[in-house]
Amino acid sequence: GSINPCPSSTPGGAKQLLECSHTAEGHTKPVLDLDVRGDRMLTGSKDRTAKLWDLSAMAEIRSLEDHHNNVSKVRYWSAQRLALTVCSFYIKVWDERVPGPCVRTLLSTGLSQAEPPEVSMGLRQNVCPAGETNIMDLALPDSGNAMFLATANSVKVWDLRRFAAVGKLHGSHQAPVMVLACERANGGCQVVTGSKDHYMKVFWVSDGAMGLLTPTADLQPPHYDGIEALALNGSALYSASRDGGLKKWHLGPNCHQVACVNSAHKDWVQGLALSDDAQRLYSACRSGVLKVWDAVGDLTCIGELPTAHNGAAINSVHQCGGRVYTASNDHTVKFWREPMPGSGELATSAADSEGNLDSL
């Protein structure tokens, strides 16, 4: 894979909002998910591989292979320099410092093993072994040792110090949990589940909690279709759905809806990300449109890039260090410069002109 500078022009003429600075290429099929932590980017693709990238050197570090199906979700645990890649019913754990195969495999049932599961690496298999279910999403807080894993209509709580499942979040969802959001606060984690049943539920997981945990809040009114993306910042939650709508919520003793945009996009909204200062919300849809919203107020649209990936679907959006990253069906990940805080000018630096991202 390679990371290449982009021409200075931006599709849609929205230079004052976002400008594409680089494109990461190397996957041979759609890029389904990405995660950025510091100077590391992890991408997962329909080509059955994940790639780990060094954003300081602007180069691919290694390709993580031997998945029998799509790598649907990826997360990078920067504290331990571990890459987690989701494929169907299992997660492979890769140590950046150790070449060769993965160091651990975590199963949807809550089991952990040193050896990869025994599955054929030939034709794609969509049927899970007995007792296993597809993993829809995983969430890692910025600190701590907890991991949350969405399987079927509940969420398993893992202790990554022992690679062991220690609890379950069960909110009586009537359909699979599709997406998770979590954030550490006051000796625990606030976790939000978004389900295909149109509903979201809020959980509080204190450090060391084990066993069955029930929700502290059920967010009303629901979306009109399944939840596809969440973004969480303190008491502010943002949700997006297959119905094309966006919602802003206040979480606390009295959870309530703050704002709603019913036709934010004309297609499924598949990704949400907040700027570092939580002033802007980025949303992306299956039709390839990337939009920017006022996250502080009532979700007023600031602008949009209708052809961010030339019409190809955007599957994931991430923000880190003044950059927005979009993973697309066109097999690429694009890097977008954000405007400088408090101005309409684009963030630029000498590092950019040299073709690297040392400013991250």
Side-chain angles (χ1 to χ4, degrees), residues 91-151:
I91 298 175
K92 287 192 172 188
V93 182
W94 310 79
D95 191 331
E96 179 185 334
R97 300 156 293 187
V98 179
C102 66
V103 297
R104 203 78 188 165
T105 302
L106 315 179
L107 304 179
S108 67
T109 51
L111 300 177
S112 171
Q113 60 190 43
E115 298 297 324
E118 295 184 3
V119 292
S120 171
M121 293 300 172
L123 296 175
R124 294 175 186 267
Q125 301 178 32
N126 294 318
V127 178
C128 297
E132 303 286 353
T133 56
N134 284 321
I135 297 170
M136 306 310 298
D137 198 13
L138 77 159
L140 286 176
D142 289 335
S143 61
N145 300 291
M147 177 177 72
F148 303 96
L149 204 65
T151 59

Side-chain angles (χ1 to χ4, degrees), residues 18-19 21-22 274 276 282 318-325 335-338 347-349 351-352 356-357 359-360:
L18 293 169
E19 184 177 16
S21 63
H22 295 78
L274 280 165
D276 288 326
Y282 302 97
H318 198 92
Q319 192 279 345
C320 183
R323 291 293 193 284
V324 178
Y325 303 83
F335 303 6
W336 306 86
R337 295 188 185 97
E338 287 189 297
T348 57
S349 69
D352 292 334
N356 61 52
L357 290 181
S359 60
L360 282 173

